[in-house]
Amino acid sequence: MEYNVEKQHAKGKLHAIERIHALVDKDSFMEIYSGVRHNCTSFGMDKKDIPYDGVITGFGTINGRKVAVYAQDFTVQGGSLGKMHGDKIAEIIDMAIEARCPVIGINDSGGARIQEGVNSLAGYGNLFYQNVRASGYIPQISIIAGPCAGGAVYSPGITDFIFTVDKISYMFITGPKVVKSVMFMDITEEELGGGVIHSQKSGVTHFRCPDENDCYNRVKKLLDYIPHYYGDRPAPVHFSYEAEGKANAIARLMPERSTQGYDIRDIINCVVDDDSFFEVAPEFAVCVVTGFARIEGRTVGIIANNPAGLGGIMNCDASDKAARFVRYCDAFNIPLLNFVDIPGFIPGPQEEQKGIIRHGAKLIYAYSEATVPKVTVITRKAYGGAYIAMCSKHLGADFVFAWPKAEIAVMGAEGAIQILYAKELKDPAQAPLVAEKTQEYKDTVMTPVTAAERGYISEVIDPAQTREKVAQCFRILENKRATERVEKKHGNIPL
């Protein structure tokens, strides 16, 4: 079959078939439904032959494991989606469900095929329905390799992971022309829905790549970490762990002052297998870090507060980011490892009006609902409702460890004393008493020993023991099964 490759190259993009070949193993792609054609006769469409109706679909392998793939061809009728085009994608997803393999969609389309009217919308509807059917059963990965506008954005929006490529990826409900006509605002495609916007501000996308080849390599790497269907239990991979150096490094990485920031990624890398941490959504909601890593060769999901980003405080975006990642890991039975250093949920009218209560509740719901092995390490601060929300024992954590200098309380000592001794604070002569009570609060209330005495944490451990303890916990929990469930259709997560 002939493809208009040069037309795509002129735009700095690969052709749909080149993209598929860059993604799958050599000579592994088998195209299906290449003979499909549209059946529209309106507005001169009866005279147009649109090869494979503008989308290439089929199966291949990545690193030897089967995947379903579709790629929209912008050189054919602008990659526009008509009824048959949408049905081809819906069919490949349905087949991927039956075959129990991931489905990867490469989106590059001008949107709905206007000439087909409601039939085009039916194509989208069938596609969305299959996206939802597949959710939680097989991984769904979307690559935005061109425009993705209007109703088309909701298919990637349902999928698990979205990749964008700088300078060629655009996603928006309404494009710049509509924005200008309705809101009298001049805005470029990049400013409205480019890769930077969605990876840093909206949080719609999870990976922003400098070029297409880097994008396809990252997709392959992601597939090495995740199960390929619900119930898949990948064998552990060969791993290395530089035990002595990393164990000693943890203590040096923690600042002396409890108010001083540090990058939690440094701690993560000291605990997980060497060079195994693969971060998801690194540019969005930087106060929380999410990603995959390996412990003794097995994949775990990491959720960690990051003091290097807004002090590690939890806001609306961070709650959403963490909650959705928890739910993904739980859906595919990926154990969770949580690192907690959180001063609380962010205060103030801006986040309250955005619904921090509703967003924070998502995180509590996600952790409480998750039945996978859950191990939590409190490195420093764990205050108030945020302590509970970050996979505490109260939300079903199997093991909770705390480092000796961890502070677990309703709030910090200074804030607590301001409330408990408000009258004394007005009298300068009472300063020694206030200082004494502040230290007393730290020594008797905030200490992890108190939480250990109540059974809220499993053990107080030396930071150098973290890897050893975490690995042991996951070995113990390897065959964990949920035993108590309330019979119901499903809960009502606070979306």
Side-chain angles (χ1 to χ4, degrees):
M1 187 175 292
E2 292 186 7
Y3 302 103
N4 198 340
V5 174
E6 290 75 18
K7 193 173 181 180
Q8 280 289 85
H9 290 181
K11 296 178 180 178
K13 303 194 292 186
L14 296 178
H15 187 275
I17 195 65
E18 292 178 310
R19 288 166 168 167
I20 292 173
H21 289 154
L23 186 63
V24 303
D25 298 337
K26 186 178 180 181
D27 299 327
S28 71
F29 182 64
M30 181 185 75
E31 184 175 358
I32 57 174
Y33 299 123
S34 62
V36 166
R37 297 295 187 271
H38 72 86
N39 53 18
C40 178
T41 58
S42 304
F43 298 98
M45 287 292 288
D46 55 324
K47 299 180 179 63
K48 287 189 177 181
D49 177 48
I50 304 177
Y52 43 86
D53 209 42
V55 61
I56 302 171
T57 60
F59 289 87
T61 62
I62 292 179
N63 298 329
R65 301 196 68 186
K66 66 185 173 186
V67 294
V69 185
Y70 69 86
Q72 295 176 312
D73 186 351
F74 197 83
T75 70
V76 178
Q77 200 70 21
S80 59
L81 188 143
K83 178 64 164 58
M84 299 306 295
H85 180 128
D87 284 353
K88 278 184 69 174
I89 300 175
E91 173 73 7
I92 199 70
I93 297 173
D94 183 53
M95 293 181 73
I97 294 171
E98 295 291 327
R100 295 200 300 176
C101 69
V103 60
I104 304 164
I106 305 173
N107 297 262
D108 187 2
S109 169
R113 193 173 296 161
I114 298 171
Q115 299 94 323
E116 293 198 27
V118 71
N119 284 331
S120 176
L121 301 180
Y124 276 122
N126 295 339
L127 165 55
F128 300 162
Y129 183 77
Q130 293 298 334
N131 284 140
V132 174
R133 281 191 69 230
S135 183
Y137 187 68
I138 55 171
Q140 298 181 86
I141 297 170
S142 295
I143 298 167
I144 311 303
C148 184
V153 299
Y154 289 113
S155 175
I158 296 168
T159 63
D160 301 306
F161 301 101
I162 303 177
F163 290 74
T164 60
V165 181
D166 284 341
K167 297 178 181 170
I168 67 170
S169 300
Y170 307 106
M171 294 181 77
F172 30 66
I173 298 295
T174 51
K177 291 181 180 178
V178 176
V179 171
K180 184 172 183 178
S181 66
V182 175
M183 303 184 69
F184 310 104
M185 180 189 298
D186 285 311
I187 191 168
T188 67
E189 290 180 327
E190 190 70 42
E191 293 167 334
L192 183 61
V196 171
I197 294 298
H198 289 309
S199 64
Q200 296 180 4
K201 295 185 180 297
S202 73
V204 168
T205 64
H206 304 90
F207 301 93
R208 180 169 65 92
C209 309
D211 55 60
E212 288 199 57
N213 286 324
D214 177 77
C215 176
Y216 305 133
N217 286 333
R218 288 205 219 181
V219 171
K220 295 175 188 179
K221 185 173 182 179
L222 173 63
L223 286 169
D224 275 344
Y225 279 87
I226 59 178
H228 281 210
Y229 54 88
Y230 172 72
D232 181 24
R233 289 176 63 89
V237 302
H238 174 75
F239 73 95
S240 61
Y241 179 72
E242 206 282 286
E244 186 174 347
K246 287 189 171 184
N248 294 332
I250 290 181
R252 294 197 304 270
L253 289 168
M254 291 299 291
E256 284 295 321
R257 291 185 292 109
S258 65
T259 55
Q260 190 176 343
Y262 64 94
D263 196 327
I264 195 64
R265 296 177 187 87
D266 295 332
I267 303 294
I268 293 169
N269 284 320
C270 285
V271 175
V272 303
D273 295 352
D274 295 342
D275 302 317
S276 73
F277 183 51
F278 183 54
E279 190 168 356
V280 174
E283 298 182 289
F284 179 63
V286 294
C287 46
V288 67
V289 170
T290 56
F292 299 107
R294 292 191 177 96
I295 300 286
E296 297 186 331
R298 293 189 183 276
T299 297
V300 297
I302 305 277
I303 303 94
N305 308 120
N306 192 13
L310 301 177
I313 202 163
M314 192 66 77
N315 59 17
C316 293
D317 287 343
S319 299
D320 282 0
K321 174 181 171 179
R324 188 154 195 267
F325 188 76
V326 168
R327 286 173 66 82
Y328 177 83
C329 290
D330 187 55
F332 288 94
N333 286 323
I334 299 172
L336 296 171
L337 174 57
N338 311 280
F339 291 93
V340 180
D341 187 348
I342 186 165
F345 284 96
I346 193 167
Q350 183 175 356
E351 290 293 308
E352 290 290 359
Q353 290 166 20
K354 284 174 65 177
I356 186 65
I357 297 170
R358 176 167 49 87
H359 292 278
K362 297 177 189 180
L363 185 60
I364 293 171
Y365 195 106
Y367 272 128
S368 300
E369 188 181 48
T371 59
V372 293
K374 296 181 283 190
V375 178
T376 298
V377 179
I378 301 173
T379 63
R380 196 167 62 172
K381 297 185 183 75
Y383 293 167
Y387 148 70
I388 301 171
M390 277 301 298
C391 203
S392 61
K393 177 180 175 63
H394 322 292
L395 300 191
D398 297 291
F399 294 96
V400 180
F401 298 105
W403 291 355
K405 293 184 179 179
E407 301 173 351
I408 307 169
V410 174
M411 61 180 67
E414 289 75 12
I417 295 305
Q418 283 182 8
I419 295 171
L420 295 173
Y421 292 91
K423 290 182 181 179
E424 287 80 357
L425 282 168
K426 295 176 183 178
D427 183 359
Q430 297 293 326
L433 173 65
V434 172
E436 177 189 334
K437 292 299 180 183
T438 300
Q439 191 59 47
E440 181 185 341
Y441 191 87
K442 290 181 179 179
D443 294 340
T444 61
V445 176
M446 300 179 72
T447 171
V449 173
T450 300
E453 288 174 349
R454 303 294 183 271
Y456 301 148
I457 62 173
S458 308
E459 287 292 326
V460 178
I461 63 170
D462 187 282
Q465 295 179 289
T466 305
R467 160 71 181 206
E468 175 191 348
K469 294 290 186 182
V470 165
Q472 189 173 11
C473 288
F474 284 128
R475 289 197 298 270
I476 292 168
L477 296 168
E478 184 178 355
N479 297 314
K480 178 188 174 183
R481 292 289 183 271
T483 55
E484 292 184 14
R485 292 196 179 192
V486 177
E487 186 176 346
K488 58 184 174 180
K489 186 174 183 181
H490 59 72
N492 184 22
I493 187 169
L495 297 172

